[in-house]
Amino acid sequence: MIKLKEEVTRELTEHILPFWLKLQDKEYGGLYGLVDYDLTVNEEADKSGIVTARFLWTFSAAYRATGNPEYLEAAKKLFRFLKEKVFDQEFSGLYWLLDYKGDPKDTRKHVYTQTFGVYSCSEYFMASKDEEALELAKTIYFLIEEKGFNREINAYCEEFDREWNDMPNQMLSGNGILADITMNTHIHVLEAYTNLYKAWPAPELQERIENLLHILHDNIYIQETKFLGVFFDKNWNNLIDVKSFGHDIEASWLIDEAIQTIAIENPAYNQMVIDIAYNIADCAIEEDGSLVNEQVGNEIDRTRVWWVQAEAAVGFYNAYERTGDERFLKLTKGLWDYMKSYLIDKRENGEWYSAVNPDGQPQKINIADSWKASYHNGRFCLEFMKRTRTIERFSG
């Protein structure tokens, strides 16, 4: 039987990455912005700042894992597009949205978008040794700290206009509310800063990572329930009872990555990582091995979303490495079996379905757009290619 590592390597190099490589826009740069459910490519669709950065991260990380020069060449082109088109040369920061030609269309600045600039440029620097990339990552990092961090409430803010004036957080709120602070932005600031630290281990950056771990533990993690709060007001009051199962298990391993990267010793943080993983394992796994999406009050959304399954597999495997509990190995295998059976699009020129209904039927929504990119499932594969210590113990 083919081992899991071999299966995910094949999935990444023979399926996921070839799909995205074909979408490179040779005329205007970046990748085409839309592939609908029927696999029709819209070459005049808008291009998202977030997914541009996510593509840059994916191809940079894939090159570091495989040494395939095609990935480095794709990353090089994406970096130029990000630096010359997505980055605002006048007011600094990454735009939310460009048109298909690469001209600014929605010039709002969101801290969430900026985090992926830091994340991707630092990864590209480690792949290419291009000092321009590290300098851009640091520029965006300093921008986040100057414009996007509120020291009075010890929180990273959310949405701004082009000139960095505060705006209501329309882009990352949900469930009928406008949140001043979100869990989602904070876990991705942590993710970005952790990656930047690998390229630039500055003491000041370590301090900011330590502060983020403090924020996550003291303000976002709910110790009584083991869930993370999702939406908050400016006083860190939880605005609504939402449980985002995918974000929680993703946060578990991202927090652990930060802990290990800066080598911080804090038993409470270690316990948080473990407790989140056990909590999601206890409450969100279905009989078919998949992870349900979220719960609002008593209402559970049982949609199987592509990124939720991918991040859960990494999170549970990370929990196995932390605890040695064989249960997490079984959960990881169940998720991979589910992904192979239902999420991986086996149509010619397909990639992964965005979401699947509880009955196993894919939802007829876009295969690629301003949120659906190569990052979550690509990273799942890359993490399992890297985490080889015990993967041979079970096969796909």
Side-chain angles (χ1 to χ4, degrees), residues 23-140:
L23 295 180
Q24 293 179 97
D25 186 341
K26 296 179 181 178
E27 183 175 3
Y28 295 112
L31 271 67
Y32 297 128
L34 180 66
V35 179
D36 67 17
Y37 177 80
D38 294 323
L39 303 179
T40 302
V41 179
N42 182 349
E43 297 183 3
E44 296 188 358
D46 297 333
K47 295 171 180 175
S48 158
I50 293 169
V51 299
T52 297
R54 288 176 168 183
F55 290 133
L56 174 58
W57 178 87
T58 304
F59 285 110
S60 300
Y63 173 74
R64 293 182 68 204
T66 68
N68 186 335
E70 187 177 18
Y71 304 154
L72 182 61
E73 184 62 25
K76 184 184 299 184
K77 293 174 182 176
L78 282 159
F79 175 67
R80 288 296 159 198
F81 184 76
L82 185 94
K83 184 176 186 292
E84 296 171 5
K85 297 293 186 178
V86 184
F87 188 80
D88 183 348
Q89 305 298 325
E90 185 175 357
F91 295 104
S92 200
L94 302 180
Y95 294 123
W96 185 264
L97 196 66
L98 310 175
D99 69 15
Y100 75 97
K101 293 182 178 179
D103 295 322
K105 184 168 183 178
D106 186 334
T107 60
R108 278 178 288 186
K109 308 290 173 59
H110 204 291
V111 169
Y112 184 90
T113 312
Q114 312 314 310
T115 69
F116 283 99
V118 174
Y119 188 57
S120 61
C121 289
S122 54
E123 189 70 23
Y124 178 63
F125 166 73
M126 290 187 283
S128 67
K129 308 307 177 189
D130 184 343
E131 292 287 342
E132 271 192 285
L134 181 58
E135 288 307 309
L136 185 56
K138 289 161 64 177
T139 294
I140 301 172

Side-chain angles (χ1 to χ4, degrees), residues 163-340:
E163 299 179 25
W164 289 97
N165 298 301
D166 192 42
M167 292 181 66
N169 181 27
Q170 296 179 340
M171 307 312 291
L172 236 66
S173 293
N175 304 98
I177 62 169
L178 284 175
D180 297 305
I181 303 168
T182 69
M183 169 264 284
N184 200 5
T185 288
H186 281 77
I187 65 172
H188 290 295
V189 176
L190 179 70
E191 166 192 64
Y193 285 11
T194 301
N195 212 46
L196 179 59
Y197 187 85
K198 295 173 184 177
W200 180 60
E204 64 184 90
L205 180 55
Q206 177 166 339
E207 185 276 327
R208 302 315 297 152
I209 295 171
E210 290 178 2
N211 185 58
L212 276 157
L213 291 169
H214 165 76
I215 291 170
L216 283 158
H217 182 269
D218 286 18
N219 293 357
I220 295 177
Y221 177 57
I222 305 168
Q223 297 194 36
E224 295 78 14
T225 65
K226 313 304 181 190
F227 288 106
L228 300 180
V230 177
F231 299 125
F232 303 87
D233 67 16
K234 289 181 178 178
N235 297 313
W236 281 109
N237 295 308
N238 205 334
L239 292 173
I240 188 171
D241 179 18
V242 178
K243 300 175 178 68
S244 183
F245 304 125
H247 283 114
D248 279 20
I249 192 61
E250 179 185 20
S252 173
W253 82 265
L254 292 177
I255 292 167
D256 208 8
E257 180 87 358
I259 290 168
Q260 295 179 49
T261 298
I262 65 170
I264 188 172
E265 297 289 339
N266 188 317
Y269 297 164
N270 297 341
Q271 194 62 48
M272 173 172 57
V273 167
I274 295 166
D275 286 347
I276 292 171
Y278 274 113
N279 185 50
I280 298 304
D282 288 341
C283 71
I285 290 288
E286 295 283 69
E287 290 185 5
D288 58 15
S290 66
L291 198 76
V292 296
N293 186 34
E294 69 175 16
Q295 181 173 345
V296 182
N298 294 322
E299 296 295 320
I300 299 176
D301 175 7
R302 298 190 180 278
T303 306
R304 279 64 153 178
V305 180
W306 103 100
W307 72 262
V308 171
Q309 315 311 312
E311 296 295 345
V314 181
F316 286 140
Y317 191 78
N318 184 78
Y320 170 73
E321 292 180 317
R322 264 285 183 184
T323 66
D325 189 339
E326 299 277 337
R327 179 187 181 193
F328 289 120
L329 276 182
K330 294 177 182 177
L331 290 171
T332 303
K333 185 179 185 301
L335 282 158
W336 177 230
D337 287 343
Y338 180 87
M339 289 185 270
K340 286 190 296 182

